Amino acid sequence: QVQLVESGGGMVQAGGSLRLSCAASGRTFSTLNMAWFRQAPGKQREFVAIISWSGRSTNYAASVKGRFTISRDKDKNTVYLQMNSLQPEDTAVYYCAADPVTWSSANNYENYRYWGQGTQVTVSS
């Protein structure tokens, strides 16, 4: 079993930055691919970024590539999402997810077994 707890959300002006953290508990953390998804009101949950269990591979949604960076610290069992140049359209609840998901299916939220409770990110114009 894996428990995920997100933190770091908040309110920021357009162009600003935030760093989200996802602290994981459970002995299998180092074997899981870790991802961030987000969900805006009235919209479906969408893929943001993923990092492999080794930390060597990452992938991003086109809408955040070049602005967001995902990373993981195995010693701290924590995954981060550094978000720069935030825009109002980035406003959403951000969720951390974990699963030994295959890379080709990583952008589908239905393929993830473990989820955090979410953290709100609000970007004002």
Side-chain angles (χ1 to χ4, degrees):
Q1 192 74 304
V2 176
Q3 289 79 44
L4 305 174
V5 179
E6 301 100 332
S7 62
M11 186 176 296
V12 66
Q13 289 189 329
S17 298
L18 283 173
R19 188 177 81 156
L20 306 183
S21 299
C22 173
S25 60
R27 293 179 293 176
T28 61
F29 172 77
S30 61
T31 66
L32 299 174
N33 295 326
M34 302 292 297
W36 288 94
F37 285 76
R38 66 186 182 186
Q39 189 166 19
K43 294 188 176 181
Q44 193 171 23
R45 192 166 298 192
E46 66 171 351
F47 170 78
V48 175
I50 185 171
I51 187 165
S52 65
W53 64 270
S54 67
R56 295 193 189 103
S57 298
T58 58
N59 195 26
Y60 298 90
S63 58
V64 307
K65 192 172 292 186
R67 300 188 297 125
F68 292 9
T69 302
I70 189 171
S71 61
R72 67 191 296 165
D73 185 329
K74 292 184 179 180
D75 292 335
K76 295 182 178 179
N77 278 9
T78 300
V79 174
Y80 304 98
L81 186 68
Q82 178 66 44
M83 305 185 295
N84 298 329
S85 302
L86 283 161
Q87 299 301 316
E89 52 265 35
D90 295 316
T91 295
V93 177
Y94 283 70
Y95 296 92
C96 177
D99 200 271
V101 63
T102 60
W103 212 246
S104 60
S105 61
N107 63 344
N108 185 342
Y109 71 92
E110 295 179 338
N111 293 329
Y112 289 80
R113 196 177 325 173
Y114 305 110
W115 290 90
Q117 82 288 352
T119 185
Q120 177 71 46
V121 172
T122 303
V123 185
S124 60
S125 58

